[in-house]
Amino acid sequence: MSETNGKVPVTVLTGFLGSGKTTLLNQLLAQEGAEGTAVIVNEFGAVGIDGQLVVGVDEDIIEINNGCICCTVRADLVSTIERLLARPQRVRRILIETTGLADPAPVIQSFILDERLRASTELDALVTVVDALHNPIWLAMGAEAEAAGGENIAAEQIAFADLLVLNKTDLVDGDTLALRETDLRRLNPLARILRVRDGTVPAAEVLGIRAFDLKNALAIEPELLSDLEHEHDDAITSVALTIEDDLDPAPFFKWLNTFVQAKGSDIFRIKGIVPVRGEARRYVFHGVHMTLDGRPGRPWRPGEMRRGEIVFIGRNLDRTAIEAEVHACIARRAAA
């Protein structure tokens, strides 16, 4: 898990929204030998949530927000890595967590075609995290997009993987798990599959495995070494909210659960870190479709502004309505 041939190894973590990439990233960083790891987190929305949820190497977390790393902020990826490698601190490896909507091909292309990156870095592996519970939904949705002239991003993330991390295996039974592996093998017969729960996997199984093979990538995308274009479904948008006052827990949690149940089929991902009245700790929650999970997180530090952020990613989201409904849950200050 160190430099190879003088080049810094790069591991790209991809996977559709809600698959568990950040959880896997945290598991890797918590293990022995994480020192010298630089982390780049890419998010689709303007507000960065994932960077706040990564632990262990706070000084080396760099966020690239408000765009997908495979298209609109791709140049930022190149310049970010250049700045990382120019710092006096030694970088032993780079971990990149892409947005769940990222097409792997242009990301791979950046490391192959850019002379500066090619001279200083080496792709170690493209690791795709797969949600054992929701993956059929993502693949079906991608097939619909493909039929309409778009891209099946979930399928492409699986097809390009050198390693497939089949996550959330505790949420399905054995027969269903076998069907999931069959689906993965149909899309990618070459990648190794690891069955995991809660994103827990030994770092040696993911980092320093030298699994990237350009020939395999070219077999999937013959135009990989040409100038690729990638477009997202225009109906897929993100709504990012900033909360600068405590939320009243009763109406907010009631609204959140009602919203998820009513709009679940169009909600790809929800992530939030919010201040709640009467709670010394920030409340952290995330959801996929109608699945919602939350719990108290780190305490607010003395003097720290209790500032929250929520990001919704989905189809046909009504930004105005969501903003109004969330802000209606802000706790009213008691009259003086």
Side-chain angles (χ1 to χ4, degrees):
M1 297 190 293
S2 59
E3 295 180 15
T4 55
N5 302 322
K7 297 182 180 182
V8 177
V10 178
T11 300
V12 179
L13 299 180
T14 187
F16 212 72
L17 296 160
S19 58
K21 297 184 295 297
T22 302
T23 302
L24 172 61
L25 178 60
N26 276 330
Q27 294 283 351
L28 295 174
L29 294 176
Q31 297 181 46
E32 185 178 357
E35 301 83 3
T37 298
V39 178
I40 298 173
V41 177
N42 174 222
E43 297 195 58
F44 189 64
V47 172
I49 297 290
D50 283 347
Q52 300 180 53
L53 300 177
V54 178
V55 299
V57 287
D58 291 344
E59 70 279 10
D60 280 326
I61 297 173
I62 298 174
E63 292 183 287
I64 302 177
N65 297 331
N66 205 22
C68 180
I69 207 170
C70 64
C71 44
T72 57
V73 293
R74 187 168 153 201
D76 290 347
L77 171 65
V78 176
S79 61
T80 294
I81 293 176
E82 288 180 335
R83 290 197 304 272
L84 274 173
L85 299 180
R87 299 186 316 176
Q89 302 97 322
R90 178 172 175 264
V91 175
R92 293 184 58 218
R93 79 177 64 80
I94 298 172
L95 287 178
I96 300 174
E97 179 190 345
T98 74
T99 169
L101 298 172
D103 177 355
V107 180
I108 294 171
Q109 185 188 56
S110 298
F111 289 94
I112 296 173
L113 296 185
D114 188 273
E115 292 183 8
R116 296 157 297 178
L117 292 191
R118 194 169 65 244
S120 57
T121 66
E122 182 174 74
L123 270 177
D124 183 62
L126 192 140
V127 179
T128 299
V129 185
V130 179
D131 183 333
L133 181 62
H134 293 104
N135 194 54
I137 299 174
W138 302 141
L139 290 176
M141 190 179 299
E144 292 178 5
E146 197 170 27
E151 295 178 82
N152 190 337
I153 297 300
E156 291 183 13
Q157 290 173 345
I158 292 168
F160 273 101
D162 303 303
L163 174 66
L164 291 165
V165 177
L166 186 56
N167 193 27
K168 305 183 184 181
T169 55
D170 54 313
L171 301 183
V172 297
D173 59 31
D175 290 341
T176 302
L177 200 55
L179 290 174
R180 297 291 183 268
E181 288 201 359
T182 299
D183 290 341
L184 297 181
R185 285 285 172 233
R186 175 175 53 83
L187 291 168
N188 188 336
L190 300 175
R192 183 184 177 197
I193 298 176
L194 289 178
R195 291 186 179 187
V196 307
R197 57 181 295 177
D198 300 323
T200 303
V201 59
E205 301 278 359
V206 178
L207 305 177
I209 59 177
R210 307 196 73 176
F212 177 73
D213 189 329
L214 179 59
K215 294 191 298 295
N216 291 339
L218 287 171
I220 300 165
E221 176 53 79
E223 302 300 317
L224 183 64
L225 300 184
S226 62
D227 191 16
L228 294 170
E229 293 185 358
H230 168 60
E231 297 181 359
H232 293 292
D233 182 348
D234 289 338
I236 298 175
T237 58
S238 68
V239 175
L241 305 182
T242 299
I243 312 297
E244 297 188 345
D245 292 286
D246 285 5
L247 293 167
D248 192 337
F252 175 69
F253 292 131
K254 179 180 179 180
W255 172 81
L256 183 61
N257 281 282
T258 301
F259 178 78
V260 167
Q261 292 302 312
K263 306 291 187 181
S265 60
D266 284 334
I267 299 172
F268 298 169
R269 195 75 169 109
I270 298 176
K271 286 190 177 184
I273 300 174
V274 297
V276 177
R277 185 180 61 184
E279 175 58 63
R281 294 176 291 176
R282 63 202 74 209
Y283 191 80
V284 179
F285 62 92
H286 59 90
V288 177
H289 284 315
M290 295 181 182
T291 303
L292 190 64
D293 182 45
R295 60 182 57 85
R298 292 186 290 110
W300 298 98
R301 295 189 299 271
E304 180 181 10
M305 183 177 180
R306 291 168 64 95
R307 182 175 184 270
E309 294 168 338
I310 309 175
V311 174
F312 303 81
I313 299 177
R315 182 185 287 115
N316 302 318
L317 298 177
D318 187 335
R319 178 184 300 273
T320 301
I322 291 173
E323 288 179 345
E325 290 162 1
V326 171
H327 283 284
C329 299
I330 291 176
R332 292 182 174 86
R333 292 184 175 89

